[in-house]
């Protein structure tokens, strides 16, 4: 694949992240946390696409050896299950943000979605589509170093833009920014589940 094709693929994989990053950024997030989160999101996307690539490459060899050339059904099921799991994580995060706002809890609570294990779960859920993309790339001739560099850079920039835009919107919206962000995440999760089923 050419560098341009890898850039387009990376941008497409980053759309889910952007739609999640904007409402998360509305939670009075500091710049250092935005940068740290963008790095984690980029690393998770790279890890997922490389994992998918190697699994897809291995499956391609198995399929070629057996002589069966159609394995669309299992890949589609894995992708649907992964999408539903990711959507449930987003909806749960949205519900938690709404609950905290209704109860009047501060955003700086210890269970921030961009800190600790919550960040890793979130990064894994928004990078699941990179795993599915890696399956198909495993059956193509792809420069893995170039793929990793382009994907990492594009995802890092998309995360910075999404979280930064959300941060600015949160400053204008004020105290109800977390409620709006939680509502957006909840609706996004419901939409993903609805469109997957």
């Amino acid at each position: 694949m050419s560098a341009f094709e890898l850039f387009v693929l990376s941008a497409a994989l980053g759309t889910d992240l952007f739609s999640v990053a904007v409402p998360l950024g509305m939670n009075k997030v500091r710049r250092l946390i935005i940068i740290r989160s963008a790095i984690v999101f980029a690393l998770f996307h790279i890890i997922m696409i490389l994992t998918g690539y190697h699994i897809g490459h291995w499956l391609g060899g198995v399929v070629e050896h057996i002589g069966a050339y159609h394995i669309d059904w299992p890949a589609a099921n894995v992708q649907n299950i992964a999408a539903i799991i990711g959507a449930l994580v987003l909806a749960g995060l949205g519900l938690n943000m709404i609950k905290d706002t209704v109860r009047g809890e501060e955003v700086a609570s210890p269970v921030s979605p961009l800190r600790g294990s919550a960040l890793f779960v979130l990064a894994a859920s928004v990078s699941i589509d990179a795993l599915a993309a890696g399956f198909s790339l495993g059956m193509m001739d792809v420069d893995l170093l170039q793929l990793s560099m382009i994907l990492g850079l594009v995802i890092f920039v998309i995360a910075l833009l999404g979280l930064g835009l959300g941060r600015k919107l949160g400053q204008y919206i004020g105290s109800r920014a977390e409620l709006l962000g939680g509502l957006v995440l909840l609706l996004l999760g419901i939409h993903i589940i609805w469109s997957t089923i």
Side-chain angles (χ1 to χ4, degrees):
M1 292 182 83
S2 71
F4 177 73
E5 291 170 324
L6 292 176
F7 173 79
V8 170
L9 171 67
S10 300
L13 291 174
T15 56
D16 284 348
L17 172 60
F18 187 80
S19 65
V20 170
V22 172
L24 286 175
M26 291 182 185
N27 296 313
K28 301 176 186 172
V29 180
R30 293 189 339 236
R31 287 188 183 114
L32 179 62
I33 292 176
I34 288 175
I35 293 169
R36 188 181 320 143
S37 299
I39 291 169
V40 171
F41 287 130
L43 289 175
F44 264 80
H45 272 79
I46 292 169
I47 290 167
M48 289 294 214
I49 204 162
L50 291 177
T51 301
Y53 175 87
H54 289 296
I55 293 171
H57 188 71
W58 177 78
L59 284 175
V62 168
V63 167
E64 192 173 306
H65 180 72
I66 294 174
Y69 294 102
H70 300 288
I71 57 168
D72 294 335
W73 184 83
N77 279 346
V78 168
Q79 190 171 3
N80 287 343
I81 291 169
I84 290 171
I85 290 170
L88 289 172
V89 169
L90 293 178
L93 181 59
L95 281 173
N96 189 43
M97 289 169 63
I98 292 169
K99 178 189 71 141
D100 288 349
T101 302
V102 170
R103 286 186 178 167
E105 295 178 12
E106 279 298 310
V107 179
S109 67
V111 190
S112 170
L114 295 177
R115 293 181 188 213
S117 61
L119 174 60
F120 292 118
V121 171
L122 183 62
S125 72
V126 296
S127 62
I128 290 289
D129 53 347
L131 181 70
F135 288 146
S136 61
L137 290 178
M139 302 191 195
M140 301 175 162
D141 184 30
V142 178
D143 180 355
L144 296 181
L145 180 61
Q146 185 181 32
L147 169 66
S148 298
M149 290 175 58
I150 291 172
L151 178 67
L153 182 62
V154 169
I155 294 300
F156 178 77
V157 169
I158 287 173
L160 283 180
L161 291 173
L163 290 168
L165 176 63
R167 184 172 187 249
K168 288 290 183 194
L169 288 172
Q171 290 171 351
Y172 291 116
I173 295 171
S175 63
R176 293 296 174 192
E178 187 178 10
L179 180 63
L180 179 62
L183 186 60
V184 169
L185 289 178
L186 176 63
L187 292 175
L188 182 63
I190 291 170
H191 171 73
I192 292 170
I193 292 170
W194 181 262
S195 62
T196 303
I197 294 176

